[in-house]
C-alpha cells in the first residue's frame, strides 16, 4: 500500500486520548478504508447510539423545520457537519410503546416487551437485520455499552429476540476485532469453529427428528429456530474464510487499553467510538450498537462538574433524569445539567464524524458510507411518546441531510426510519416491525 500525504497514524486514530490506548501501526492506516486500498466498492456501515433517560427538550429540538432551520443549542457541536446530519422529531414506537426504565430493550426492536403479562418478550433488533445482509465480516456485529451484560445493558437482540451481550471492556473489544496473530491461536480458533459446526450438526439432526412429531404451530416455531441455526452456520463459514486471510500486522506489545480515568463519561464514549472507527476502517465489522449510559447510572465525574456549572444539587443519575425532565422550565438547574450532558453526546458524535470524514473511501469518505443514529426513547423520564433522534452520515448511500423533519403525533413510527436505513444499506427487506414505508424526505 502507498501512504497518502496525510496518513492516519496511531496518534491521529486516537488523538486526544493521550495514553488511554496506544494503537499499533496497521497496514490499513494509510488514511483509506480497506476497500479503497484494494480498489473495491465500499460497503455500508451502521452504528447506533442510545441516550438513556430524558433530554433537555428546550435545548434539543430546533424551533423551526426544513433545510433552513436554526441549529438548537444541544446540536451546536455538530454545526460543522450541518450537511451531514438531520434532526428527526416525533418518531416513536406506536404499537410497541412502553414506559418506565426498560426502553433499551425495545429501542431498536419496536416490540412491546410487555405484550404478554408477566413475561418479557422481544423480537429482532434492526441492527441485527443489517448484520445479516451487509456482511460477511470477521465480527457480524459489535455490541458496546457502559457496562458488560445483557438486559438493559445491550441494544441488540437476535432473530429470536434474545439479548446479545454487550461489553464495556476496551481490551476485549480490541482483541476480538482481529483474527489471532499467533499460529497456535489461529489453529485453536479454527478448531473452535469446527467444534461449533459439529455441535450445530448434532442439534439440527435432533431437532428434525423432534419436528416430525410436532403440531403445525410448533413446527413453525421450530423452523424459525432452524433458520437461526443455518444463519449461524453461514457465519461460521464466513469467519473461517476470514481467519484464513489473517489479520494486519501490528505490534501487539504496544497495545494498551486502560483509560486515564475509569469514572470519566466522555473518555469512555470517545475510546469506544475510536474503536468503532478502527473497526469500520479495517472492515472487521460493519454494524455496532452502543448504549451510552444506564437509566439510573453510573454517576460519572462529569455530573459533578455539571452540577457545579448549573447549580444543580448533587444527585444520582436516576434523580437527574427525573428532576431534569418534563416541563420544569429552561432555567431549572437539573434541566440545565441534562442539557450539558446532551451537548457532550453531540460533541462526541461530531468527533466521531470528524474521524470518519478524514478516512478516504472508494467513493468519498468513510462517513459517506456510514449511517450514524444517535437518540433515545424519552423526552421526559419514563415517557416513550416521542424520540429525540439524530441521523448522520451515509450521504453516498442516498441520504439527504441538513434538515429538521417533524411529524404529527403518531404519523410515522421509528420502524419507518429503521426500514429506510436498512434499505439504503441495500438490505433486501420490504418492512420492519410496524413500518408503513420508507421516509422519502430523507432520501436524495
Amino acid at each position: 500500500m502507498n501512504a497518502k500525504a496525510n496518513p492516519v497514524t496511531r496518534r491521529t486514530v486516537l488523538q486526544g486520548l493521550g495514553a488511554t490506548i496506544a494503537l499499533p501501526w496497521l497496514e490499513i492506516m494509510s488514511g483509506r478504508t480497506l476497500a479503497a486500498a484494494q480498489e473495491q466498492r465500499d460497503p455500508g456501515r451502521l452504528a447506533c447510539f442510545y441516550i438513556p433517560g430524558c433530554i433537555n427538550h428546550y435545548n434539543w429540538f430546533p424551533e423551526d423545520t426544513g433545510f433552513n432551520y436554526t441549529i438548537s443549542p444541544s446540536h451546536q457541536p455538530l454545526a460543522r457537519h450541518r450537511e451531514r446530519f438531520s434532526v428527526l422529531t416525533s418518531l416513536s414506537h406506536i404499537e410497541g410503546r412502553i414506559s418506565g426504565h426498560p426502553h433499551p430493550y425495545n429501542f431498536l426492536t419496536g416490540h412491546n416487551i410487555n405484550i404478554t403479562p408477566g413475561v418479557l418478550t422481544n423480537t429482532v433488533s434492526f441492527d441485527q437485520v443489517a448484520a445479516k445482509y451487509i456482511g460477511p465480516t470477521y465480527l457480524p456485529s459489535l455490541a458496546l455499552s457502559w457496562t458488560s451484560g445483557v438486559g438493559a445493558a445491550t441494544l441488540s437482540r437476535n432473530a429470536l429476540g434474545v439479548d446479545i451481550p454487550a461489553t464495556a471492556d476496551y481490551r476485549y473489544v480490541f482483541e476480538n476485532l482481529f483474527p489471532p496473530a499467533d499460529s497456535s491461536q489461529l489453529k485453536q480458533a479454527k478448531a473452535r469453529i469446527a467444534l461449533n459446526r459439529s455441535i450445530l450438526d448434532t442439534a439440527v439432526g435432533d431437532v428434525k427428528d423432534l419436528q416430525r412429531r410436532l403440531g403445525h404451530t410448533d413446527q413453525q416455531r421450530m423452523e424459525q429456530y432452524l433458520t437461526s441455526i443455518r444463519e449461524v452456520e453461514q457465519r461460521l463459514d464466513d469467519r473461517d474464510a476470514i481467519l484464513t486471510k489473517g489479520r494486519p500486522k501490528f505490534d501487539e506489545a504496544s497495545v494498551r487499553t486502560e483509560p486515564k480515568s475509569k469514572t470519566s463519561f466522555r473518555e469512555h464514549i470517545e475510546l469506544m467510538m475510536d474503536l468503532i472507527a478502527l473497526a469500520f476502517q479495517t472492515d472487521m465489522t460493519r454494524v455496532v450498537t452502543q448504549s451510552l449510559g444506564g437509566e439510573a447510572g453510573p454517576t460519572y465525574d462529569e455530573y459533578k462538574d455539571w452540577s457545579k456549572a448549573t447549580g444543580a444539587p448533587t444527585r444520582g443519575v436516576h434523580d437527574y433524569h427525573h428532576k431534569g425532565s418534563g416541563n420544569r422550565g429552561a432555567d431549572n438547574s437539573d434541566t440545565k445539567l441534562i442539557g450539558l450532558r446532551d451537548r457532550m453526546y453531540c460533541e462526541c458524535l461530531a468527533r466521531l464524524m470528524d474521524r470518519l470524514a478524514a478516512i478516504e473511501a472508494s467513493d468519498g469518505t468513510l462517513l459517506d458510507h456510514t449511517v450514524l443514529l444517535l437518540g433515545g426513547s424519552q423526552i421526559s423520564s419514563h415517557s416513550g411518546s416521542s424520540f429525540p433522534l439524530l441521523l448522520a452520515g451515509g450521504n453516498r448511500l442516498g441520504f439527504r441531510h441538513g434538515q429538521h423533519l417533524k411529524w404529527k403525533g403518531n404519523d410515522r413510527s421509528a420502524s419507518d426510519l429503521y426500514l429506510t436505513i436498512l434499505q439504503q444499506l441495500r438490505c433486501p427487506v420490504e418492512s420492519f416491525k410496524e413500518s408503513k414505508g420508507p421516509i422519502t424526505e430523507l432520501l436524495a
Side-chain angles (χ1 to χ4, degrees):
M1 291 170 53
N2 296 323
K4 300 292 288 183
N6 295 302
V8 175
T9 64
R10 284 180 289 180
R11 184 183 299 270
T12 56
V13 167
L14 295 176
Q15 186 178 9
L17 287 176
T20 300
I21 173 172
L23 281 179
W25 183 87
L26 301 168
E27 282 188 333
I28 188 62
M29 287 183 181
S30 62
R32 295 185 291 174
T33 63
L34 183 63
Q38 297 177 346
E39 298 184 349
Q40 298 175 350
R41 179 180 178 179
D42 260 280
R45 286 90 162 172
L46 171 67
C48 303
F49 304 97
Y50 176 77
I51 297 175
C54 69
I55 59 159
N56 177 338
H57 65 85
Y58 302 101
N59 286 1
W60 181 276
F61 295 109
E63 294 182 356
D64 43 4
T65 59
F67 287 96
N68 295 319
Y69 79 96
T70 302
I71 293 182
S72 66
S74 292
H75 305 155
Q76 280 296 328
L78 290 159
R80 61 185 178 273
H81 291 295
R82 184 184 177 107
E83 300 305 314
R84 288 178 165 175
F85 81 94
S86 295
V87 185
L88 311 178
T89 299
S90 294
L91 296 179
S92 68
H93 299 322
I94 302 171
E95 296 175 4
R97 185 168 300 161
I98 60 175
S99 63
H101 288 176
H103 288 282
Y105 283 90
N106 84 334
F107 178 56
L108 300 182
T109 71
H111 181 71
N112 184 345
I113 61 174
N114 301 317
I115 196 168
T116 303
V119 179
L120 191 155
T121 63
N122 217 333
T123 53
V124 65
S125 52
F126 99 92
D127 63 289
Q128 291 305 297
V129 178
K132 177 180 178 180
Y133 291 113
I134 65 174
T137 53
Y138 184 61
L139 294 180
S141 64
L142 187 60
L144 308 175
S145 188
W146 53 278
T147 187
S148 299
V150 293
T154 183
L155 304 178
S156 299
R157 271 80 199 176
N158 68 17
L160 298 177
V162 177
D163 297 354
I164 295 176
T167 182
D169 188 328
Y170 318 117
R171 180 72 190 183
Y172 175 85
V173 173
F174 185 82
E175 288 181 345
N176 282 272
L177 274 181
F178 301 99
D182 182 78
S183 58
S184 62
Q185 293 177 336
L186 186 62
K187 185 176 181 180
Q188 291 173 2
K190 284 182 169 288
R192 284 195 295 272
I193 289 177
L195 176 61
N196 288 336
R197 280 202 189 100
S198 176
I199 293 171
L200 287 176
D201 289 342
T202 301
V204 169
D206 292 342
V207 166
K208 287 184 176 179
D209 289 339
L210 172 64
Q211 196 174 24
R212 299 187 187 97
R213 303 193 297 271
L214 298 176
H216 178 69
T217 300
D218 284 339
Q219 282 187 0
Q220 288 182 319
R221 291 173 179 166
M222 196 58 70
E223 184 58 37
Q224 183 183 26
Y225 173 73
L226 288 171
T227 298
S228 297
I229 287 182
R230 286 190 286 269
E231 290 174 359
V232 172
E233 288 176 328
Q234 181 60 54
R235 288 182 176 180
L236 288 176
D237 291 341
D238 296 337
R239 192 175 182 88
D240 194 18
I242 294 171
L243 277 175
T244 301
K245 293 180 182 179
R247 75 178 185 181
K249 295 179 181 179
F250 61 89
D251 180 11
E252 188 77 26
S254 70
V255 178
R256 289 184 293 120
T257 53
E258 285 296 323
K260 290 180 179 179
S261 171
K262 293 184 178 181
T263 54
S264 171
F265 203 176
R266 181 188 295 271
E267 187 179 28
H268 172 74
I269 294 173
E270 289 184 348
L271 199 157
M272 285 298 191
M273 285 184 171
D274 284 329
L275 291 173
I276 291 171
L278 175 63
F280 285 170
Q281 185 182 7
T282 56
D283 202 31
M284 290 294 101
T285 192
R286 297 171 187 167
V287 177
V288 179
T289 60
Q290 183 179 358
S291 181
L292 299 177
E295 302 295 313
T299 304
Y300 292 101
D301 289 343
E302 283 82 354
Y303 282 99
K304 300 174 185 176
D305 298 332
W306 296 332
S307 175
K308 292 179 181 178
T310 61
T314 301
R315 311 180 189 275
V317 171
H318 175 271
D319 290 336
Y320 282 130
H321 287 170
H322 281 268
K323 301 292 185 181
S325 68
N327 297 314
R328 300 176 187 270
D331 292 329
N332 177 276
S333 58
D334 292 298
T335 302
K336 286 183 176 179
L337 181 146
I338 293 296
L340 293 179
R341 185 212 60 173
D342 297 342
R343 187 180 178 91
M344 184 203 70
Y345 285 144
C346 291
E347 290 170 350
C348 292
L349 180 63
R351 180 178 177 276
L352 175 61
M353 293 175 71
D354 288 342
R355 294 188 177 279
L356 297 179
I359 299 171
E360 178 187 343
S362 56
D363 178 22
T365 71
L366 181 52
L367 179 58
D368 292 324
H369 295 269
T370 301
V371 181
L372 302 171
L373 177 65
L374 170 68
S377 300
Q378 306 162 77
I379 293 177
S380 60
S381 188
H382 291 196
S383 172
S385 60
S386 181
F387 292 179
L389 297 171
L390 296 181
L391 185 70
N395 292 67
R396 294 300 173 101
L397 297 174
F399 285 100
R400 179 176 58 173
H401 288 308
Q403 58 181 319
H404 174 212
L405 292 170
K406 184 177 182 179
W407 294 270
K408 296 179 181 179
N410 294 333
D411 272 4
R412 302 301 295 262
S413 70
S415 294
D416 290 326
L417 173 62
Y418 299 163
L419 174 65
T420 307
I421 294 172
L422 289 171
Q423 291 185 343
Q424 296 310 113
L425 288 170
R426 302 184 182 89
C427 299
V429 296
E430 298 299 326
S431 64
F432 180 82
K433 206 55 181 178
E434 57 180 327
S435 64
K436 297 179 181 178
I439 299 175
T440 56
E441 299 96 318
L442 281 170
L443 306 180

